[in-house]
């Protein structure tokens, strides 16, 4: 499977990718995007099987990215990996069509719990 | 909107800092002390995020240049002498972002979190703010001062040339 990791922080993209491997998801192809706008382009060009996106990003936020994808008819499985995890954001994410939010800081165990059903 | 700074907010900075350090920065070898005493020394860089909305203020992480390189080195999984200034800015900014996001989740809502900003402490001011609480994490024998500020102009960091 192909996973798109969208985060404006290079180090957080690296941590997410490292944690995916630590969680046992090390045989998947990873593509990266530094903001929501780049992630939207990458979804179109790379056709990923899963998007793991930060919420707070320049150019296009994670929730704007999700809304743009769904408005264009794209139904790629989408989850947020974000430092903010309020009830309000969870409600917005679910209403927008996201699967769930993973809050930072996370562990490999968290990734295994939340992503095993999707990534196998 | 300005906070009534006399309104007490309950934020367990020690617990939040411990969660963040344990998940992202503890390799299991380094001793980390939480709620350490504040020696007031060695803070040269400040990474901060602003909160705007029902709560207005800033979450600031301050540390030395060496400490910032240590954080970047561990988060990027590279040797300290390979770390670039861009790496330091990205890593320290993300540390502030993760701490700030977790702090924001226990503060009055709704509010927005800004993108992180990193600069020399000599060039950084937060006028009109008051300190709500702080904690000091000592990691690899370097102090990291985590401070929650309340008040100030919403959403704008005010960097002033020294």
């Amino acid at each position: 499977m192909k996973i798109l990791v969208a985060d404006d922080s290079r180090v957080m993209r690296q941590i997410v990718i490292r944690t995916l491997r630590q969680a046992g998801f090390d045989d998947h192809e990873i593509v990266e995007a530094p903001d929501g706008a780049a992630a939207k382009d990458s979804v179109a060009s790379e056709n990923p099987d899963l998007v793991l996106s930060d919420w707070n990003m320049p150019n296009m936020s994670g929730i704007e990215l999700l809304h743009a994808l769904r408005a264009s008819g794209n139904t790629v499985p989408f989850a947020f990996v974000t430092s903010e995890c309020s009830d309000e954001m969870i409600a917005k994410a679910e209403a927008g069509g996201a699967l769930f939010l993973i809050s930072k800081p996370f562990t490999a165990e968290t990734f295994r719990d939340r992503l095993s059903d999707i990534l196998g | 909107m300005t906070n009534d700074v006399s309104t007490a907010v309950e934020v367990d900075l020690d617990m939040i800092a411990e969660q963040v350090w344990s998940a992202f920065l503890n390799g299991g070898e380094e001793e980390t002390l939480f709620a350490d005493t504040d020696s007031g020394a060695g803070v040269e860089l400040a990474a901060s995020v602003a909160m705007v909305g029902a709560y207005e203020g800033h979450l600031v992480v301050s540390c030395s240049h060496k400490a910032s390189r240590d954080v970047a080195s561990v988060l990027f999984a590279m040797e300290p002498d390979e770390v670039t200034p861009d790496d330091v800015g990205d890593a320290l900014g993300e540390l502030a972002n993760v701490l700030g996001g977790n702090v924001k989740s226990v503060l009055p809502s709704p509010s927005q979190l800004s993108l992180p900003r990193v600069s020399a402490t000599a060039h950084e001011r937060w006028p009109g703010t008051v300190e709500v609480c702080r904690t000091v994490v000592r990691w690899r024998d370097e102090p990291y001062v985590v401070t929650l500020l309340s008040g100030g102009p919403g959403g704008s960091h005010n960097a002033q040339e020294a």
Side-chain angles (χ1 to χ4, degrees):
Chain A
M1 295 179 79
K2 187 183 287 186
I3 305 168
L4 171 62
V5 178
D7 198 306
D8 56 312
S9 166
R10 282 185 300 119
V11 77
M12 187 50 67
R13 295 199 301 273
Q14 189 160 320
I15 292 168
V16 169
I17 293 165
R18 192 187 309 150
T19 307
L20 282 167
R21 295 192 175 116
Q22 289 168 346
F25 307 123
D26 47 4
D27 54 352
H28 300 287
E29 185 182 350
I30 307 288
V31 290
E32 300 180 47
D35 58 46
K40 183 168 175 282
D41 292 342
S42 190
V43 168
S45 61
E46 298 283 347
N47 195 25
D49 301 291
L50 172 66
V51 177
L52 296 177
S53 176
D54 188 17
W55 187 291
N56 196 16
M57 297 185 286
N59 298 325
M60 179 184 279
S61 70
I63 193 69
E64 289 168 343
L65 167 64
L66 176 59
H67 289 158
L69 291 174
R70 295 299 186 252
S72 69
N74 191 299
T75 58
V76 60
F78 191 108
F80 286 102
V81 181
T82 174
S83 65
E84 307 170 65
C85 220
S86 66
D87 291 343
E88 178 199 6
M89 292 173 72
I90 293 170
K92 271 188 187 174
E94 289 179 348
L99 297 170
F100 47 76
L101 280 77
I102 294 174
S103 61
K104 304 172 187 173
F106 46 75
T107 63
E109 187 177 4
T110 308
F111 270 35
R112 266 193 300 274
D113 288 346
R114 304 309 299 267
L115 298 173
S116 288
D117 287 347
I118 303 165
L119 298 176
Chain B
M1 185 184 297
T2 302
N3 296 330
D4 176 359
V5 294
S6 64
T7 302
V9 292
E10 293 290 334
V11 179
D12 191 341
L13 272 186
D14 294 338
M15 184 191 69
I16 290 170
E18 187 165 351
Q19 288 173 345
V20 173
W21 252 264
S22 297
F24 286 161
L25 287 165
N26 257 356
E29 298 171 3
E30 297 85 18
E31 184 181 14
T32 310
L33 296 176
F34 298 100
D36 195 22
T37 53
D38 188 355
S39 65
V43 288
E44 297 158 321
L45 287 176
S48 61
V49 288
M51 285 161 269
V52 185
Y55 183 88
E56 304 225 337
H58 305 263
L59 187 288
V60 186
V61 187
S62 305
C63 65
S64 70
H65 287 295
K66 178 188 178 302
S68 69
R69 284 194 300 275
D70 286 347
V71 166
S73 161
V74 169
L75 293 183
F76 275 107
M78 59 172 62
E79 294 300 319
D81 59 4
E82 297 174 338
V83 167
T84 68
D86 279 352
D87 296 336
V88 167
D90 190 58
L92 204 59
E94 190 59 17
L95 183 60
N97 180 51
V98 175
L99 289 162
N102 281 267
V103 167
K104 174 179 168 284
S105 69
V106 296
L107 291 171
S109 64
S111 59
Q112 303 283 320
L113 199 66
S114 76
L115 296 172
R117 173 192 177 91
V118 181
S119 62
T121 50
H123 293 181
E124 194 70 283
R125 302 286 186 277
W126 294 274
T129 62
V130 295
E131 183 175 312
V132 176
C133 54
R134 74 163 54 196
T135 191
V136 178
V137 179
R138 183 167 293 275
W139 179 66
R140 293 186 168 187
D141 208 28
E142 287 281 341
Y144 298 78
V145 182
V146 183
T147 310
L148 177 63
L149 303 174
S150 174
S156 62
H157 291 262
N158 292 274
Q160 299 177 342
E161 295 299 326

